[in-house]
Amino acid sequence: PEHSSGRMERFLQLSNDDDSFIPNFGENFDAQQLYETNWIIANCSTPANMFHILRRQILLPFRKPLVVFTPKSLLRHPDARSSFDDMLPGTSFQRLIPERGPARDAP
């Protein structure tokens, strides 16, 4: 059990991702990508993303192992929070979270 020193790159190396394969970006791309992989690896940086990935794991019509890497520093950090609006119906897991605030407006 590597609960405190898990390395994401170890799990990524064991994934069955073929770097020479170009996927078909159709309407069911997300579901097909989840179906073809041997497990799901995530680094959730917001509570809303954690909520959505756990909800998606329960609602999938098939079962895949879910490995979640979350820094311990985010457990109690005051800025690592989500609004309940981010967890309402019609919202979903964000693969990429865009920058917000003054750093985005004036890099």
Side-chain angles (χ1 to χ4, degrees), residues 23-32:
N24 181 13
F25 293 100
E27 62 184 57
N28 294 328
F29 172 71
D30 292 342
Q32 188 64 31

Side-chain angles (χ1 to χ4, degrees), residues 45-48 71-83 86 100:
S45 57
T46 66
K72 289 181 182 179
S73 61
L74 290 179
L75 290 174
R76 293 188 183 96
H77 198 284
D79 290 334
R81 63 181 182 260
S82 296
S83 167
D86 295 336
R100 296 180 187 156

Side-chain angles (χ1 to χ4, degrees), residues 18-51:
D18 183 5
D19 58 356
S20 63
F21 175 71
I22 299 174
N24 181 13
F25 293 100
E27 62 184 57
N28 294 328
F29 172 71
D30 292 342
Q32 188 64 31
Q33 187 179 33
L34 290 173
Y35 183 74
E36 291 176 356
T37 188
N38 57 339
W39 52 19
I40 300 167
I41 302 170
N43 182 3
C44 297
S45 57
T46 66
N49 253 5
M50 180 65 90
F51 167 78

Side-chain angles (χ1 to χ4, degrees), residues 56-72:
R56 182 179 70 182
Q57 182 75 3
I58 296 296
L59 296 176
L60 282 175
F62 48 86
R63 293 290 167 242
K64 298 285 178 163
L66 173 63
V67 181
V68 179
F69 289 92
T70 303
K72 289 181 182 179

